[in-house]
């Protein structure tokens, strides 16, 4: 998937200034970088919920998007999945996969942050999407839930051959799941390549400094 150059400005501050990019088909791409580097802005533009400066951005239909802040609908946990059109049996199976079956008939508003994140991811992955945009999907999850979510995502990607863009602050997560890594700094693309290239053998001094700071 070829992307045009993307810029985004808020007031007098340009928060994103990227060259033309190419997302490899059927690949998980992770976007890493410090806070304020433009990761979430890029995710929102790719998902179609935010317009770039030129106002023109066309991505594919049926994009699955999980924003940084997960949310439940004001209904039961089970109905949060059935709202996608899934039948009861399929929805229950999905809840079981995510370890939420025991909460099926509870109000989704009573879930913890980690449970809400699992529900939001379950709601997206119950449908097949050619493109997934996931912004810090496991940030609120504990270690066990994070590893489960990564396993489910990898299985989903293998089954559907979808393209995934995953924003993450976890460099170890990027190593576990990524085929390609993009490192953003101050709204610019500093380095890109395979997970091994970028995370273990970076070419750019700024990337090395970032990785050293976060002690990968």
């Amino acid at each position: 998937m070829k992307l045009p150059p993307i810029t985004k400005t808020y007031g007098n501050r340009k928060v994103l200034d990227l060259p033309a990019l190419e997302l490899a088909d059927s690949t998980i791409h992770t976007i890493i970088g410090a806070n304020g580097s433009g990761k979430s802005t890029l995710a929102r533009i790719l998902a179609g919920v935010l317009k770039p400066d030129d106002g023109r951005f066309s991505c594919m239909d049926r994009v699955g998007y999980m924003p940084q802040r997960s949310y439940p609908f004001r209904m039961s946990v089970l109905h949060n999945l059935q709202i996608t059109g899934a039948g009861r049996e399929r929805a229950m199976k999905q809840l079981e996969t995510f370890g939420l079956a025991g909460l099926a008939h509870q109000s989704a508003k009573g879930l913890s942050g980690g449970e809400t994140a699992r529900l939001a991811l379950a709601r997206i992955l119950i449908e097949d999407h050619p493109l997934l945009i996931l912004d810090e999907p496991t940030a609120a999850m504990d270690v066990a839930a994070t590893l489960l979510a990564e396993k489910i995502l990898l299985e989903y990607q293998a089954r559907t051959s979808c393209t995934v863009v995953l924003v993450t602050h976890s460099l170890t997560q990027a190593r576990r799941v990524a085929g390609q890594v993009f490192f953003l700094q101050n709204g610019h693309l500093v380095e890109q390549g395979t997970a091994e290239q970028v995370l273990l053998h970076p070419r750019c001094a700024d990337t090395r400094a970032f990785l050293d700071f976060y002690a990968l």
Side-chain angles (χ1 to χ4, degrees), residues 8 34 51 57 65 78 91 98 116 118 138 154 160 198 213:
K8 183 62 181 178
K51 290 184 178 181
F57 188 82
Y65 173 53
L78 178 60
F98 278 84
T116 297
R118 276 188 282 159
T138 63
L154 288 168
T160 64
V198 175
F213 180 81

mmCIF file of all heavy atoms in Angstrom, residues 8 34 51 57 65 78 91 98 116 118 138 154 160 198 213:
data_model
loop_
_atom_site.group_PDB
_atom_site.id
_atom_site.type_symbol
_atom_site.label_atom_id
_atom_site.label_comp_id
_atom_site.label_asym_id
_atom_site.label_seq_id
_atom_site.Cartn_x
_atom_site.Cartn_y
_atom_site.Cartn_z
ATOM 1 N N LYS A 8 0.615 17.367 8.952
ATOM 2 C CA LYS A 8 -0.487 17.829 9.801
ATOM 3 C C LYS A 8 0.026 18.940 10.688
ATOM 4 O O LYS A 8 1.063 18.800 11.357
ATOM 5 C CB LYS A 8 -1.023 16.677 10.671
ATOM 6 C CG LYS A 8 -2.219 17.095 11.518
ATOM 7 C CD LYS A 8 -3.410 17.520 10.670
ATOM 8 C CE LYS A 8 -4.585 17.951 11.528
ATOM 9 N NZ LYS A 8 -5.722 18.407 10.688
ATOM 10 N N ALA A 34 8.925 8.637 20.907
ATOM 11 C CA ALA A 34 8.584 9.256 22.185
ATOM 12 C C ALA A 34 7.222 9.930 22.109
ATOM 13 O O ALA A 34 6.645 10.111 21.025
ATOM 14 C CB ALA A 34 9.664 10.268 22.566
ATOM 15 N N LYS A 51 -8.106 14.553 9.145
ATOM 16 C CA LYS A 51 -7.641 14.937 7.815
ATOM 17 C C LYS A 51 -6.237 15.543 7.894
ATOM 18 O O LYS A 51 -5.959 16.340 8.797
ATOM 19 C CB LYS A 51 -8.596 15.952 7.190
ATOM 20 C CG LYS A 51 -9.952 15.379 6.804
ATOM 21 C CD LYS A 51 -10.796 16.421 6.095
ATOM 22 C CE LYS A 51 -12.125 15.837 5.663
ATOM 23 N NZ LYS A 51 -12.954 16.850 4.955
ATOM 24 N N PHE A 57 -6.978 12.351 1.751
ATOM 25 C CA PHE A 57 -6.338 11.084 2.096
ATOM 26 C C PHE A 57 -7.349 9.981 1.895
ATOM 27 O O PHE A 57 -8.427 10.000 2.477
ATOM 28 C CB PHE A 57 -5.838 11.048 3.540
ATOM 29 C CG PHE A 57 -5.005 9.826 3.824
ATOM 30 C CD1 PHE A 57 -3.673 9.790 3.487
ATOM 31 C CD2 PHE A 57 -5.578 8.700 4.388
ATOM 32 C CE1 PHE A 57 -2.911 8.663 3.717
ATOM 33 C CE2 PHE A 57 -4.826 7.574 4.633
ATOM 34 C CZ PHE A 57 -3.477 7.553 4.286
ATOM 35 N N TYR A 65 -10.246 0.223 13.339
ATOM 36 C CA TYR A 65 -9.469 1.227 14.079
ATOM 37 C C TYR A 65 -9.768 1.134 15.564
ATOM 38 O O TYR A 65 -10.924 1.184 15.985
ATOM 39 C CB TYR A 65 -9.806 2.624 13.570
ATOM 40 C CG TYR A 65 -9.199 3.756 14.370
ATOM 41 C CD1 TYR A 65 -7.838 3.804 14.632
ATOM 42 C CD2 TYR A 65 -10.003 4.794 14.844
ATOM 43 C CE1 TYR A 65 -7.279 4.849 15.357
ATOM 44 C CE2 TYR A 65 -9.459 5.852 15.565
ATOM 45 C CZ TYR A 65 -8.096 5.872 15.816
ATOM 46 O OH TYR A 65 -7.555 6.903 16.534
ATOM 47 N N LEU A 78 -21.615 -8.701 26.133
ATOM 48 C CA LEU A 78 -22.007 -9.508 24.979
ATOM 49 C C LEU A 78 -22.585 -8.650 23.862
ATOM 50 O O LEU A 78 -22.224 -8.814 22.690
ATOM 51 C CB LEU A 78 -23.028 -10.561 25.406
ATOM 52 C CG LEU A 78 -23.593 -11.462 24.299
ATOM 53 C CD1 LEU A 78 -22.484 -12.259 23.617
ATOM 54 C CD2 LEU A 78 -24.654 -12.396 24.867
ATOM 55 N N ALA A 91 -20.314 -14.331 19.039
ATOM 56 C CA ALA A 91 -19.891 -13.321 19.997
ATOM 57 C C ALA A 91 -19.381 -13.969 21.286
ATOM 58 O O ALA A 91 -18.364 -13.546 21.848
ATOM 59 C CB ALA A 91 -21.040 -12.363 20.301
ATOM 60 N N PHE A 98 -10.961 -14.071 24.348
ATOM 61 C CA PHE A 98 -10.321 -12.949 25.029
ATOM 62 C C PHE A 98 -10.429 -13.040 26.551
ATOM 63 O O PHE A 98 -10.072 -12.104 27.255
ATOM 64 C CB PHE A 98 -10.926 -11.622 24.552
ATOM 65 C CG PHE A 98 -10.349 -11.127 23.256
ATOM 66 C CD1 PHE A 98 -10.838 -11.586 22.046
ATOM 67 C CD2 PHE A 98 -9.305 -10.215 23.240
ATOM 68 C CE1 PHE A 98 -10.312 -11.134 20.842
ATOM 69 C CE2 PHE A 98 -8.771 -9.759 22.052
ATOM 70 C CZ PHE A 98 -9.273 -10.229 20.849
ATOM 71 N N THR A 116 -11.700 -3.404 29.403
ATOM 72 C CA THR A 116 -12.277 -2.563 28.350
ATOM 73 C C THR A 116 -11.428 -2.621 27.092
ATOM 74 O O THR A 116 -11.960 -2.693 25.963
ATOM 75 C CB THR A 116 -12.397 -1.109 28.838
ATOM 76 O OG1 THR A 116 -13.287 -1.056 29.950
ATOM 77 C CG2 THR A 116 -12.935 -0.204 27.739
ATOM 78 N N ARG A 118 -9.467 -5.108 26.167
ATOM 79 C CA ARG A 118 -9.677 -6.420 25.549
ATOM 80 C C ARG A 118 -11.000 -6.474 24.801
ATOM 81 O O ARG A 118 -11.087 -7.048 23.711
ATOM 82 C CB ARG A 118 -9.630 -7.513 26.614
ATOM 83 C CG ARG A 118 -8.231 -7.983 26.967
ATOM 84 C CD ARG A 118 -8.270 -9.200 27.870
ATOM 85 N NE ARG A 118 -8.563 -8.831 29.244
ATOM 86 C CZ ARG A 118 -9.046 -9.658 30.152
ATOM 87 N NH1 ARG A 118 -9.340 -10.905 29.825
ATOM 88 N NH2 ARG A 118 -9.260 -9.249 31.393
ATOM 89 N N THR A 138 -2.706 -2.398 23.856
ATOM 90 C CA THR A 138 -2.474 -3.171 25.081
ATOM 91 C C THR A 138 -1.948 -2.318 26.238
ATOM 92 O O THR A 138 -1.546 -2.855 27.269
ATOM 93 C CB THR A 138 -1.479 -4.318 24.816
ATOM 94 O OG1 THR A 138 -0.205 -3.761 24.435
ATOM 95 C CG2 THR A 138 -1.973 -5.234 23.719
ATOM 96 N N LEU A 154 -1.722 -11.974 16.122
ATOM 97 C CA LEU A 154 -0.874 -12.694 15.173
ATOM 98 C C LEU A 154 -1.667 -13.777 14.445
ATOM 99 O O LEU A 154 -1.504 -13.967 13.227
ATOM 100 C CB LEU A 154 0.327 -13.306 15.898
ATOM 101 C CG LEU A 154 1.401 -12.317 16.370
ATOM 102 C CD1 LEU A 154 2.378 -12.995 17.315
ATOM 103 C CD2 LEU A 154 2.140 -11.725 15.177
ATOM 104 N N THR A 160 -6.223 -13.753 8.050
ATOM 105 C CA THR A 160 -6.846 -12.807 7.120
ATOM 106 C C THR A 160 -5.871 -12.194 6.132
ATOM 107 O O THR A 160 -6.284 -11.589 5.146
ATOM 108 C CB THR A 160 -7.503 -11.662 7.903
ATOM 109 O OG1 THR A 160 -6.496 -10.918 8.606
ATOM 110 C CG2 THR A 160 -8.544 -12.191 8.886
ATOM 111 N N VAL A 198 15.926 -2.179 12.774
ATOM 112 C CA VAL A 198 15.689 -0.934 13.497
ATOM 113 C C VAL A 198 15.946 -1.086 14.994
ATOM 114 O O VAL A 198 16.560 -0.215 15.616
ATOM 115 C CB VAL A 198 14.249 -0.433 13.255
ATOM 116 C CG1 VAL A 198 13.953 0.805 14.108
ATOM 117 C CG2 VAL A 198 14.032 -0.119 11.775
ATOM 118 N N PHE A 213 17.903 4.870 25.644
ATOM 119 C CA PHE A 213 17.173 5.532 26.723
ATOM 120 C C PHE A 213 16.106 4.610 27.294
ATOM 121 O O PHE A 213 15.887 4.556 28.501
ATOM 122 C CB PHE A 213 16.542 6.821 26.214
ATOM 123 C CG PHE A 213 15.777 7.572 27.263
ATOM 124 C CD1 PHE A 213 16.435 8.380 28.176
ATOM 125 C CD2 PHE A 213 14.397 7.482 27.339
ATOM 126 C CE1 PHE A 213 15.732 9.068 29.158
ATOM 127 C CE2 PHE A 213 13.693 8.157 28.316
ATOM 128 C CZ PHE A 213 14.353 8.970 29.224
#
